[in-house]
Amino acid sequence: MESLQLKKAFKEIYDAEPILVKSPGRINIIGEHTDYNGGLVMPAAINKAVYVAISKRDDSEIHLFSESYQEKYTGNINNVKIADKAWANYILGVVDGFLKRDFPLSGFNLYMYGNVPLGAGLSSSAAVECATAYALAQLNQFAVSKMDLALIAQKAEHEFAGVNCGIMDQFASVFGQRDYAMMLDCRSLAHEYIPLKLDGYKLVLFNTNVKHSLSESAYNERRAQCEQGVAWIKVHYPSVQYLRDVTEEMLLEYVKPKNNETYTKCSYVVAEIARVKRAAIALKDGDLDELGKLMFETHEGLSKAYQVSCKELDFLVEQVKDLADVLGARMMGGGFGGCTINIIKEEEIDQLIQKISKAYLHEFDLVLSAYIVETGNGSKIIETATIAEHTP
Ligand code: GLA
């Protein structure tokens, strides 16, 4: 949908002049399940996004319309509560976040359209949250930093979607830059842009097109296991806040004797944080072989130790593991479905997609979708009705 069409669709429903904002989905090159452990991640924004058209109202009502679901929702600023429509909750959670931070919000009309594939692990929900946060900040000229927008968006996910996620997805959606990956330190929130130079290779996503129902409960459960590990160590090392602050030796001494499963999970996280550091060096050095190797290692850890993979994801990684033209592959995101991310030699991509699709169909009777990743920019205003373009 072009911005012109979005504007037209908005006007047809609300008879008002909107401002238009977009916020993208994301990929993650490496650093999985490390964000809520204060660790390192390496995401990039993609060129698929959620678009929001928004205008102020004279009253305190909230009017929302989702193009994808062809549904509307009506509520009120004075009584923001969890709705029975999941898509609306991502927006309402952001409204709630602004109100809790005492930003003066009045009623608004919002029309949302998106082309981030849903349920694919590309953070379409973070894109909705960040687009909403950015749009409300622009509409009301709130003095709020980009990082605070990401944090408000993350809180919406916690409180209105029930997923205790880390900051990676919302950070990537707000801060993304075309042709760059970002290494984010989720403890200090310091970040560095790293050019995504993959000469002769491309990042390709294979979408399993499954999302197992376990995903949300298991996610919160993993997070709780990590926190338990930290709590046991904290008794002996009071300054430890996250698994980021922990060494394998500490895990062996204080977590393994208490619970071997918790130990295995925590140990994966500690190893993964170390891998992100090595991956950043490899990417800067143009050592794609090393980067790829690290991605395979991550998959192994996520599948066997952290146990957030599934048979469809494992199958896709297994299929490419021994191919010389595939430097690395792993499941991406929270797990239990969604995509694998692969580094594939450019001229081999088409035939490989055909081959893997055929094998996947044969094995699971499911259609595989493949996307060649194009990176994109983070949250931005694309058209303004009454105010000048600027970045908050
Ligand atoms: C989901 C969460 C992120 C992150 C990843 C796993 O995408 O939203 O915060 O924890 O899973 O790395």
Side-chain angles (χ1 to χ4, degrees):
M1 187 184 247
E2 297 293 321
S3 54
L4 218 62
Q5 282 171 287
L6 178 59
K7 212 166 166 177
K8 192 161 160 257
F10 181 92
K11 280 186 181 167
E12 267 164 26
I13 297 190
Y14 299 120
D15 193 23
E17 197 67 34
I19 62 168
L20 308 185
V21 161
K22 70 182 249 194
S23 206
R26 64 102 189 90
I27 53 160
N28 185 24
I29 292 167
I30 199 159
E32 220 63 271
H33 288 272
T34 49
D35 59 352
Y36 53 83
N37 288 302
L40 303 168
V41 291
M42 205 194 283
I46 56 174
N47 71 341
K48 293 187 193 304
V50 166
Y51 296 78
V52 154
I54 195 167
S55 73
K56 277 190 185 175
R57 294 177 59 89
D58 297 331
D59 54 25
S60 56
E61 289 181 7
I62 300 171
H63 288 248
L64 312 176
F65 185 84
S66 160
E67 162 81 24
S68 314
Y69 293 96
Q70 288 294 308
E71 275 180 358
K72 64 177 184 188
Y73 169 89
T74 311
N76 200 297
I77 289 285
N78 300 319
N79 182 24
V80 178
K81 50 178 194 286
I82 295 178
D84 54 9
K85 291 181 170 61
W87 65 266
N89 281 330
Y90 300 122
I91 299 169
L92 296 171
V94 169
V95 172
D96 187 59
F98 276 113
L99 292 172
K100 285 203 174 122
R101 288 179 177 227
D102 291 330
F103 282 103
L105 272 183
S106 55
F108 63 91
N109 301 313
L110 183 150
Y111 188 105
M112 177 172 75
Y113 156 79
N115 59 13
V116 184
L118 299 175
L122 297 175
S123 297
S124 55
S125 63
V128 173
E129 291 149 3
C130 294
T132 305
Y134 202 88
L136 285 171
Q138 291 287 343
L139 188 68
N140 296 287
Q141 303 267 278
F142 291 152
V144 52
S145 71
K146 283 169 77 172
M147 194 57 88
D148 278 335
L149 290 180
L151 290 167
I152 289 171
Q154 179 197 22
K155 201 132 204 190
E157 185 88 28
H158 289 186
E159 295 187 355
F160 275 64
V163 180
N164 247 336
C165 66
I167 189 64
M168 170 169 74
D169 306 346
Q170 291 79 9
F171 166 83
S173 189
V174 172
F175 284 85
Q177 260 185 37
R178 198 171 149 191
D179 297 328
Y180 287 87
M182 294 162 285
M183 184 160 70
L184 170 69
D185 180 329
C186 300
R187 186 174 57 188
S188 68
L189 297 182
H191 51 279
E192 178 189 352
Y193 288 89
I194 306 177
L196 200 46
K197 282 211 289 289
L198 300 173
D199 302 332
Y201 288 81
K202 286 201 169 206
L203 292 172
V204 181
L205 305 179
F206 291 141
N207 186 354
T208 58
N209 285 316
V210 298
K211 186 170 192 238
H212 296 294
S213 55
L214 215 65
S215 58
E216 285 173 12
S217 58
Y219 185 92
N220 290 342
E221 195 185 297
R222 290 298 175 281
R223 184 168 182 159
Q225 286 171 308
C226 293
E227 285 166 1
Q228 176 63 76
V230 168
W232 283 330
I233 292 174
K234 214 177 161 61
V235 174
H236 307 275
Y237 293 92
S239 66
V240 163
Q241 294 287 332
Y242 301 102
L243 284 181
R244 168 69 179 283
D245 312 321
V246 157
T247 61
E248 174 63 21
E249 291 69 35
M250 292 179 190
L251 293 175
L252 282 171
E253 193 164 355
Y254 300 115
V255 178
K256 197 171 166 55
K258 288 212 187 268
N259 186 313
N260 196 49
E261 194 191 320
T262 308
Y263 161 75
T264 309
K265 304 268 185 308
C266 293
S267 178
Y268 156 78
V269 172
V270 170
E272 178 71 352
I273 294 170
R275 266 192 292 272
V276 181
K277 288 185 192 153
R278 285 157 62 199
I281 296 170
L283 187 55
K284 286 177 192 165
D285 289 352
D287 188 351
L288 298 182
D289 286 321
E290 170 71 3
L291 180 63
K293 249 179 53 204
L294 292 166
M295 286 167 68
F296 280 125
E297 277 177 30
T298 294
H299 185 78
E300 184 80 5
L302 287 167
S303 179
K304 305 249 167 67
Y306 213 62
Q307 296 185 324
V308 290
S309 187
C310 59
K311 59 184 190 311
E312 294 85 355
L313 289 165
D314 287 345
F315 176 84
L316 291 175
V317 172
E318 200 55 42
Q319 287 291 304
V320 299
K321 215 162 131 194
D322 297 322
L323 303 180
D325 297 322
V326 182
L327 299 185
R330 64 177 196 83
M331 57 149 279
M332 188 181 76
F336 301 101
C339 296
T340 61
I341 177 167
N342 305 261
I343 309 182
I344 307 180
K345 195 172 201 169
E346 235 172 301
E347 51 269 31
E348 299 305 322
I349 292 175
D350 288 347
Q351 63 95 13
L352 197 63
I353 289 176
Q354 278 186 26
K355 188 176 147 202
I356 306 287
S357 301
K358 209 168 143 197
Y360 190 69
L361 185 68
H362 184 256
E363 182 76 14
F364 298 109
D365 204 15
L366 278 172
V367 173
L368 182 86
S369 321
Y371 322 108
I372 299 176
V373 174
E374 300 289 339
T375 54
N377 290 318
S379 309
K380 90 195 241 291
I381 191 159
I382 46 177
E383 200 166 322
T384 130
T386 50
I387 54 176
E389 175 161 353
H390 75 282
T391 315

